[in-house]
Amino acid sequence: MPVRVVETSAPTQISGAHSGQISPPFCTLLSVGQAFSGTQNVSSLQKDEAWRVNVRIQGCDLEHGYLCGTMEALNVPMADTPVVTFWEGEIVDGKNYSFFTGKWEASSEDDIRHWTKFPSFSPFLCQVEVDGGKSLDLSNYPYIFMRWKEQYFVNVGTDCGLTIAGFYYVCFSCTDGSISGFYYDPNSSPFQKLELKSTNEGRSGFSFSSYELQ
Amino acid sequence: MDLLNRLASLDPDIKLKALREVKNQIIGNRTKKLAFLKLGAIPAVASLLAAAIAEADSQLKNGEVTIADKNSNYYNNNTFIQSAAVLGSFACGFDDGVRAVLDAGALPYLIQLLSNPDEKVVDAGARSLRMIYQSKLTPKYEILQDKKMEFLLSLLNSESENVTGLGASIITHSCETSLEQKSLSDAGVLKKLLGLLEGSFSQRDASLESLAALFRNNPEVVSKFVGQESGSALSSIIGLTKDRYPRTRLLACMCLIVIRNSSPFYLQDVGIKTKLLYLSLELLDDPGEVGDEAPFVFSSLIMEKEDLQKLAFEANALEKFSNHLQNSRLHPKRLQGILLALADICSKLESCRYRFLSLEVWNMVTNALTHDSAGVRTAACICIRSVTRSIKNLCAGYFMNEVLVIPLVQLLNDSLVSVQVAALGAISNILVDFTTGKSTFVQCGALKQLIQLSKSMESTVRLNALWALKNMVFLADDRCKEGIFMELTASLLASLICDHNPFVQEQALALVRNLIDGCISSVEYVFTENGIILDAVRKQLESTSKAEIGIQGMYVLGNVASGNEFHKEAVMQQLLPQVDNENQSFIIKFLQSNDSRLRTAAVWAIVNLTFPSSPGAFRRLIKLRSLGIVPEIRNMVNDPCLDVKLRVRTVLGQAVIFGDGLT
């Protein structure tokens, strides 16, 4: 979800995927087509504020630790319509990506400061401090850690007064499909919290669709 | 025409002169070949050859040789040589010519020439046969049949360069099975071919090609070859990658790639990989046939290998192929090869697709969709299919534009199934569109064509048409879904679910699964026409042994079960054993499957049936317990698959809500 421009933002980078063999965590609740809704707290010293947010998973390539989708911010004060952005995610799987971001102006200290906000991260802290968690086997852990980086605005121009310079530290619960996240951008308010829940779009249960690329 | 009359002349001098004239006119001239072919020159020349052989045979039988016989011998030998040259020339690189030579029955006559005492005749026969054996149209030489191996070995042992070359060409043409490879290897052919690598350039080339045929997917033969000459055999081939002749370099490169693709023990290090990659790229600059074939050799190196695709990316292969693509006068074979090479580079890595799209040669690819050559059209579709795997660009709706979609849709009417299937592959990807593009696709009439193709007699066409429709229905809006369903109809969907081809069944089920996702009212689609779709789903789930069909079918039931009470009860009905002698629901076998994806899909259906906020959940839970389904789920509480385990716990957690009587 975009946040207000505070200062001139750096150009966004496109995340690259590295080759490698992995045994990725897989959860049907995080598969393509799944939808989530909740809020992002964008409070500043001046006022308390939260935007409603919808997320949809659109692509998933576990072999490359890749996930992508759209994020829709519903009640952005300065926008006439909901603002939709496209984001790409890096799944921390110990092979393609570690807990250390190594880019986007995030130092390993920034990384640890954010990851430790998730209670489910605590068992890994010691090891992550040593090697970023590269040696950890996360394939059977009921939480999936990710970084989501918005890449472009889908329905508004870049002159909309919003920035997508930062990125999210994300923790997904495989048990109930809930998502917690913290937005990180050195030029924005720290620790803006994202909280999303799996939605069943008016159904009494869970529905799943899929596509396959040839 | 006059020339053909002269071929039929009774005067041997006139006949020979006419043969020479035909030969000189057609060499390297496709237009002339075609013109003479249409005039019936090939059967005429084949008859001349047959008559000359018959005459020579009758002289041999008579024993005595007169002066007249000597004259006739002179004419016969020259007729052999010239007619063999004419027939070989017709067959060289010209499929219609090969077909006509074969139809004229010339092959056995040419083989007979190999037993002629005159070396020149043998040479001419061998040269001609080599041309014929370069074509795929030529019937397979059955290496394992009586005496055939013996004859082949006699060719390889000949002193004549053309005859040994013919032996190698026959192996290249006809050695396909591992048994044939092994038999040739056991008969000492590897050693013979290794010896030919030391011969003339023509022998080297023929040997390299036939070695590749012997090695392909046969690690045992590769190991046996590598062990030859105290282990120096491989170095002989590696040495030829520096040969002065580009064709020899290309064939050495191809042979080494076959070795590394066939055996995990040889040529796997980065050094040789890089060398082969750069060599195949460098050969692309050859203006002739070598350059035309180089992209295919390059593709065989990087196909399905992400590490090599990355290496190709770093070697600027995309730029190199793209630069060649900008040449508008490319030979169709080269154009086809370049498009396929680009497809292979972009097949796995997003970074490659991103770079390729930035090179601004996309319009060259879309132009190739309307090329005269079916091979080029197919290759263009495959290239587009590979590049459109970019989820990021699909999400941006980048590919859903008329320049790309209209020519692709037109290819759905192509006369060749292979082109139709390739076009459907690209369309399937483009239809995973998250913008408003799907309705654009419907508006251009393409939906009707897809639906028409889903009724094709060809199962690959049905399969791919359904695949495209499945992707189209994914997250489509209600209006789009309704339009698709109205055209498809419930009865067609039901019959496709029961198609005799299991891959078609799977795609049809996946289509229904997507159709009924989203807005809850879309669940109603499976209840139209008296629930014909739901009946078909149950029928397949009861009978299938294929996990993929079980998975898609269970997600259909799961999606229906996420609806209202009526929907959930309908799914309950499907789970009841339908056959009198059957006392177990099909879902039990899915819960016990070794495939965790199938177990997951099955448990999700139960999660939905027992979803706590629905009024009939308690009653259904009791029923599921009596059917043995809940006890089965209880056994799965420590399932090795995390996803299954968590869903099982969801079911048990929901059961707990209803209290003791339920467990």
Side-chain angles (χ1 to χ4, degrees):
Chain A
M1 192 183 82
V3 296
R4 287 190 195 99
V5 175
V6 179
E7 288 173 25
T8 311
S9 58
T12 58
Q13 287 177 281
I14 291 160
S15 62
H18 312 290
S19 60
Q21 290 145 1
I22 54 164
S23 47
F26 178 72
C27 179
T28 29
L29 286 171
L30 196 62
S31 55
V32 292
Q34 289 307 292
F36 304 85
S37 65
T39 55
Q40 178 170 341
N41 188 318
V42 289
S43 300
S44 60
L45 289 172
Q46 289 78 33
K47 70 171 186 181
D48 280 343
E49 196 176 345
W51 294 348
R52 281 197 294 132
V53 175
N54 292 328
V55 162
R56 171 91 70 181
I57 309 293
Q58 295 187 329
C60 185
D61 176 3
L62 292 174
E63 197 186 330
H64 293 104
Y66 178 87
L67 196 74
C68 67
T70 49
M71 193 180 273
E72 180 184 37
L74 288 167
N75 50 335
V76 182
M78 64 194 74
D80 301 334
T81 58
V83 176
V84 183
T85 54
F86 174 78
W87 55 267
E88 292 186 300
E90 299 178 345
I91 300 172
V92 177
D93 52 23
K95 297 282 165 57
N96 289 291
Y97 300 104
S98 78
F99 282 97
F100 289 158
T101 308
K103 56 190 168 185
W104 302 331
E105 297 181 58
S107 65
S108 52
E109 290 76 25
D110 293 324
D111 290 330
I112 288 178
R113 204 162 42 244
H114 285 83
W115 292 126
T116 48
K117 291 249 170 211
F118 304 116
S120 52
F121 173 77
S122 58
F124 307 123
L125 178 60
C126 293
Q127 192 56 45
V128 170
E129 282 174 334
V130 175
D131 64 357
K134 280 180 194 159
S135 55
L136 292 169
D137 175 14
L138 300 165
S139 60
N140 231 13
Y141 195 61
Y143 294 88
I144 298 174
F145 299 98
M146 294 171 275
R147 282 179 287 273
W148 290 0
K149 173 84 180 94
E150 286 160 302
Q151 298 293 353
Y152 56 81
F153 289 101
V154 173
N155 64 337
V156 294
T158 45
D159 56 352
C160 60
L162 301 165
T163 173
I164 49 173
F167 71 94
Y168 293 86
Y169 292 90
V170 176
C171 175
F172 171 83
S173 163
C174 300
T175 308
D176 60 5
S178 61
I179 293 172
S180 306
F182 291 96
Y183 187 71
Y184 172 72
D185 174 3
N187 301 315
S188 298
S189 313
F191 302 116
Q192 294 180 26
K193 191 168 189 192
L194 177 73
E195 286 179 298
L196 304 167
K197 288 199 183 314
S198 179
T199 58
N200 46 25
E201 299 174 279
R203 290 180 178 240
S204 298
F206 298 84
S207 174
F208 299 93
S209 54
S210 77
Y211 66 84
E212 280 176 292
L213 293 171
Q214 288 211 16
Chain B
M1 192 59 204
D2 172 54
L3 203 49
L4 279 190
N5 285 336
R6 281 190 278 140
L7 280 178
S9 167
L10 294 174
D11 182 336
D13 277 325
I14 294 175
K15 262 198 294 201
L16 261 181
K17 210 172 160 197
L19 268 175
R20 280 201 192 94
E21 216 173 305
V22 174
K23 180 185 78 178
N24 292 336
Q25 285 202 31
I26 64 168
I27 282 180
N29 189 332
R30 196 183 160 86
T31 318
K32 287 272 181 174
K33 282 183 194 177
L34 192 61
F36 275 109
L37 185 144
K38 284 181 177 165
L39 291 172
I42 292 176
V45 175
S47 300
L48 282 182
L49 176 60
I53 288 174
E55 194 176 333
D57 282 351
S58 84
Q59 282 170 14
L60 271 178
K61 278 178 196 156
N62 291 338
E64 281 182 36
V65 180
T66 63
I67 291 179
D69 282 345
K70 279 186 180 169
N71 273 342
S72 134
N73 208 16
Y74 165 80
Y75 284 114
N76 281 341
N77 280 7
N78 271 311
T79 305
F80 294 153
I81 293 167
Q82 295 305 326
S83 53
V86 170
L87 293 169
S89 191
F90 268 119
C92 184
F94 181 51
D95 276 351
D96 289 340
V98 179
R99 205 174 285 118
V101 169
L102 295 170
D103 289 347
L107 195 61
Y109 298 127
L110 289 168
I111 289 173
Q112 259 183 279
L113 296 186
L114 300 176
S115 331
N116 194 286
D118 187 331
E119 276 180 26
K120 284 181 185 163
V121 172
V122 173
D123 243 27
R127 206 178 294 127
S128 180
L129 285 163
R130 281 185 74 175
M131 310 280 191
I132 295 168
Y133 273 104
Q134 272 172 8
S135 169
K136 287 194 175 106
L137 296 172
T138 307
K140 180 178 161 81
Y141 181 91
E142 295 295 346
I143 297 164
L144 302 178
Q145 275 179 9
D146 264 2
K147 306 271 183 193
K148 293 262 184 167
M149 175 73 89
E150 209 176 299
F151 179 68
L152 191 53
L153 293 175
S154 76
L155 296 179
L156 289 170
N157 286 324
S158 164
E159 295 293 314
S160 156
E161 189 181 318
N162 275 317
V163 176
T164 50
L166 170 63
S169 297
I170 291 176
I171 294 173
T172 306
H173 178 273
S174 297
C175 178
E176 292 168 337
T177 67
S178 59
L179 189 59
E180 286 163 347
Q181 289 167 327
K182 187 177 183 309
S183 303
L184 286 167
S185 161
D186 292 346
V189 166
L190 289 175
K191 194 174 167 55
K192 189 67 211 163
L193 292 173
L194 185 58
L196 290 181
L197 291 179
E198 307 288 323
S200 69
F201 83 92
S202 136
Q203 285 175 317
R204 285 201 304 268
D205 289 0
S207 168
L208 285 168
E209 276 194 276
S210 46
L211 280 170
L214 282 162
F215 297 153
R216 195 158 282 123
N217 301 323
N218 196 325
E220 290 83 21
V221 174
V222 170
S223 293
K224 188 168 177 187
F225 176 80
V226 174
Q228 303 264 326
E229 307 283 325
S230 318
S232 68
L234 204 51
S235 313
S236 310
I237 303 180
I238 293 172
L240 290 174
T241 58
K242 297 185 193 109
D243 196 90
R244 55 190 281 238
Y245 293 104
R247 176 144 202 94
T248 307
R249 294 204 297 276
L250 179 82
L251 293 174
C253 182
M254 181 269 291
C255 196
L256 293 170
I257 292 169
V258 171
I259 291 175
R260 73 178 306 277
N261 286 349
S262 305
S263 169
F265 305 114
Y266 305 107
L267 308 175
Q268 302 298 324
D269 59 293
V270 178
I272 189 80
K273 278 197 285 199
T274 312
K275 187 176 169 170
L276 292 171
L277 188 95
Y278 277 92
L279 178 56
S280 56
L281 281 175
E282 177 196 305
L283 288 164
L284 184 67
D285 294 330
D286 181 283
E289 280 180 19
V290 168
D292 295 345
E293 288 171 32
F296 293 93
V297 172
F298 172 87
S299 277
S300 68
L301 176 67
I302 67 157
M303 195 182 287
E304 297 293 323
K305 295 186 177 69
E306 195 174 305
D307 57 335
L308 275 148
Q309 288 161 17
K310 194 157 178 264
L311 215 55
F313 175 77
E314 286 159 5
N316 293 326
L318 283 165
E319 287 78 355
K320 180 145 194 167
F321 283 115
S322 297
N323 284 340
H324 279 264
L325 203 58
Q326 281 168 336
N327 176 355
S328 57
R329 287 175 301 170
L330 286 180
H331 187 280
K333 183 169 184 188
R334 187 182 290 238
L335 178 55
Q336 180 190 8
I338 289 174
L339 290 166
L340 292 174
L342 288 167
D344 281 318
I345 306 173
C346 296
S347 65
K348 287 181 180 278
L349 294 169
E350 185 64 15
S351 50
C352 293
R353 297 176 199 128
Y354 181 77
R355 172 84 64 86
F356 175 69
L357 288 170
S358 74
L359 294 172
E360 296 182 354
V361 286
W362 194 230
N363 60 329
M364 313 290 170
V365 181
T366 51
N367 287 345
L369 291 170
T370 50
H371 199 278
D372 287 343
S373 155
V376 172
R377 294 199 298 278
T378 307
C381 291
I382 293 171
C383 182
I384 292 166
R385 185 184 71 187
S386 193
V387 177
T388 53
R389 286 177 190 158
S390 166
I391 303 172
K392 186 177 178 183
N393 280 301
L394 284 169
C395 292
Y398 181 84
F399 301 115
M400 191 58 94
N401 58 70
E402 289 182 353
V403 178
L404 181 58
V405 171
I406 289 179
L408 272 173
V409 168
Q410 279 165 355
L411 288 182
L412 297 180
N413 293 322
D414 201 281
S415 56
L416 291 173
V417 167
S418 55
V419 179
Q420 286 181 320
V421 169
L424 282 168
I427 288 172
S428 290
N429 289 357
I430 294 169
L431 281 173
V432 181
D433 180 279
F434 296 92
T435 62
T436 54
K438 288 177 184 181
S439 52
T440 316
F441 191 82
V442 176
Q443 280 154 16
C444 82
L447 174 64
K448 282 187 197 303
Q449 273 178 284
L450 280 184
I451 289 170
Q452 201 55 39
L453 291 177
S454 72
K455 301 175 203 166
S456 164
M457 296 294 284
E458 293 282 343
S459 58
T460 47
V461 175
R462 287 201 302 283
L463 165 71
N464 283 283
L466 283 173
W467 192 319
L469 286 166
K470 170 190 77 177
N471 285 358
M472 189 177 182
V473 171
F474 174 73
L475 297 188
D477 60 41
D478 295 342
R479 207 171 142 207
C480 181
K481 277 185 189 172
E482 195 181 337
I484 293 170
F485 186 75
M486 296 288 277
E487 293 281 344
L488 258 174
T489 72
S491 47
L492 176 60
L493 268 173
S495 71
L496 288 166
I497 289 169
C498 298
D499 195 279
H500 64 84
N501 181 314
F503 296 100
V504 174
Q505 295 169 16
E506 181 192 343
Q507 292 301 326
L509 286 165
L511 198 172
V512 174
R513 166 187 173 181
N514 286 357
L515 189 69
I516 60 172
D517 179 51
C519 174
I520 194 166
S521 62
S522 60
V523 176
E524 295 296 335
Y525 289 127
V526 295
F527 294 97
T528 54
E529 294 188 37
N530 296 322
I532 188 174
I533 293 176
L534 214 47
D535 288 344
V537 173
R538 193 203 61 241
K539 194 176 155 198
Q540 284 308 326
L541 289 177
E542 278 176 344
S543 61
T544 191
S545 55
K546 196 167 178 276
E548 282 73 16
I549 292 173
I551 293 166
Q552 297 306 335
M554 281 316 303
Y555 276 120
V556 170
L557 294 189
N559 286 0
V560 176
S562 68
N564 60 31
E565 278 300 294
F566 170 77
H567 301 145
K568 288 177 198 289
E569 285 303 322
V571 173
M572 283 302 292
Q573 285 303 311
Q574 304 303 318
L575 293 184
L576 296 175
Q578 303 286 316
V579 187
D580 289 344
N581 58 357
E582 192 76 56
N583 55 10
Q584 184 177 285
S585 169
F586 58 79
I587 199 171
I588 299 276
K589 75 176 173 185
F590 297 152
L591 293 170
Q592 293 169 346
S593 164
N594 288 329
D595 192 318
S596 61
R597 298 167 306 158
L598 180 49
R599 297 199 301 278
T600 307
V603 181
W604 269 121
I606 306 302
V607 169
N608 286 344
L609 289 170
T610 56
F611 201 69
S613 63
S614 48
F618 175 75
R619 193 180 58 250
R620 285 190 289 276
L621 199 59
I622 300 282
K623 184 74 189 163
L624 290 168
R625 192 180 62 171
S626 71
L627 289 170
I629 295 168
V630 172
E632 189 61 44
I633 285 182
R634 292 191 74 83
N635 292 338
M636 297 163 71
V637 72
N638 287 317
D639 193 281
C641 168
L642 178 67
D643 203 20
V644 176
K645 186 166 81 177
L646 293 175
R647 301 310 54 104
V648 163
R649 291 178 184 202
T650 306
V651 173
L652 298 178
Q654 290 177 173
V656 166
I657 293 172
F658 295 107
D660 287 341
L662 306 162
T663 53

